[in-house]
Amino acid sequence: MSTGESGSDDESDMDSQANEDQLMLMTAYFVMNHHDKYLMKRKRRIPLCTGQQWVFENLSTSKDCYAMFRMYPACFYGLHNTLVGRYKLESTREMSSMEALAMFLWTVGGPESVTQVENRFKRSKETIHRKFEHVLGCLTQLAADIIKPRDPQFPTVHERLQDSRFSPHFNGCIGAIDGTHIRVVVPAEDIANHVGRIRT
């Protein structure tokens, strides 16, 4: 056998060995991938408790209640009783008033997305929206009753408002609500800083 033939046989053996090694690596990859994907598959997650059970579990501990709902249990129960007794927060077939309030507080305290609320409370998005609006309406009525000035005539002016930065520019403005529309005429270059907002 000539030297040239011996060299081509060696190259052929090397190519064959490289192909075998590559095939072994690919086989090992597919076996490991199959093992991770199918044999070590995590079991399907089943909720350990309903939304209502989760609420009562957190209400049973002051620390957890404060962390989840931003208030201690006594405050939560007091707010709930006030909303039920005076502002028509009601339980329905879909959700109790207690769970609705807890869901609202957890959502705004996070803040949490509707998808997160759906996942935590196991309720439909339609139920979540409806209950959120219901609790918000009750709290808005409560706010209108309790957020009031001590004296609507404002006989005393806070010393900070007597500072030259505010006085006399804001004299007589005490009690004005944000959103009050004031008609002004400003130079064209300043229009962006004076956008009108009319409340309907």
Side-chain angles (χ1 to χ4, degrees):
M1 177 172 8
S2 67
T3 309
E5 289 176 359
S6 173
S8 69
D9 286 344
D10 289 344
E11 285 179 15
S12 177
D13 288 343
M14 288 174 58
D15 288 343
S16 177
Q17 184 65 40
N19 287 340
E20 285 179 21
D21 290 347
Q22 188 174 13
L23 183 62
M24 289 290 285
L25 283 172
M26 288 177 63
T27 303
Y29 168 78
F30 285 118
V31 167
M32 289 175 62
N33 189 39
H34 178 80
H35 179 269
D36 290 345
K37 192 171 183 181
Y38 297 104
L39 302 179
M40 296 299 291
K41 190 174 182 180
R42 279 172 36 178
K43 291 182 180 177
R44 186 171 170 236
R45 288 177 59 194
I46 299 171
L48 300 176
C49 62
T50 65
Q52 185 162 330
Q53 290 169 334
W54 179 79
V55 168
F56 284 112
E57 182 182 311
N58 282 291
L59 285 171
S60 66
T61 309
S62 290
K63 182 180 176 184
D64 291 341
C65 183
Y66 190 84
M68 293 297 107
F69 310 127
R70 303 297 189 262
M71 60 181 66
Y72 292 110
C75 184
F76 181 95
Y77 287 118
L79 176 61
H80 173 262
N81 294 339
T82 299
L83 293 176
V84 169
R86 295 179 55 190
Y87 300 97
K88 299 180 181 175
L89 178 63
E90 299 171 346
S91 296
T92 60
R93 191 178 63 220
E94 293 86 13
M95 189 182 290
S96 71
S97 57
M98 193 88 71
E99 185 181 354
L101 176 60
M103 183 189 73
F104 179 90
L105 295 173
W106 186 71
T107 304
V108 298
E112 311 295 343
S113 68
V114 173
T115 305
Q116 289 168 312
V117 178
E118 181 184 25
N119 181 267
R120 171 65 272 170
F121 287 85
K122 309 303 178 198
R123 305 289 186 178
S124 70
K125 287 182 179 171
E126 190 273 332
T127 298
I128 291 166
H129 282 292
R130 192 161 28 82
K131 285 299 186 176
F132 188 93
E133 290 292 325
H134 180 53
V135 176
L136 180 60
C138 295
L139 286 170
T140 302
Q141 293 175 52
L142 171 66
D145 287 345
I146 64 173
I147 304 176
K148 291 180 177 178
R150 292 192 180 113
D151 184 343
Q153 300 303 315
F154 299 101
T156 58
V157 177
H158 193 279
E159 60 185 32
R160 209 180 248 180
L161 294 177
Q162 296 173 15
D163 187 277
S164 60
R165 291 177 301 158
F166 306 111
S167 180
H169 314 295
F170 292 97
N171 287 354
C173 292
I174 297 175
I177 298 173
D178 183 32
T180 301
H181 186 71
I182 301 171
R183 293 185 178 277
V184 295
V185 177
V186 296
E189 63 270 13
D190 292 331
I191 286 179
N193 296 326
H194 297 85
V195 175
R197 294 182 297 159
I198 301 174
R199 297 182 68 179
T200 56

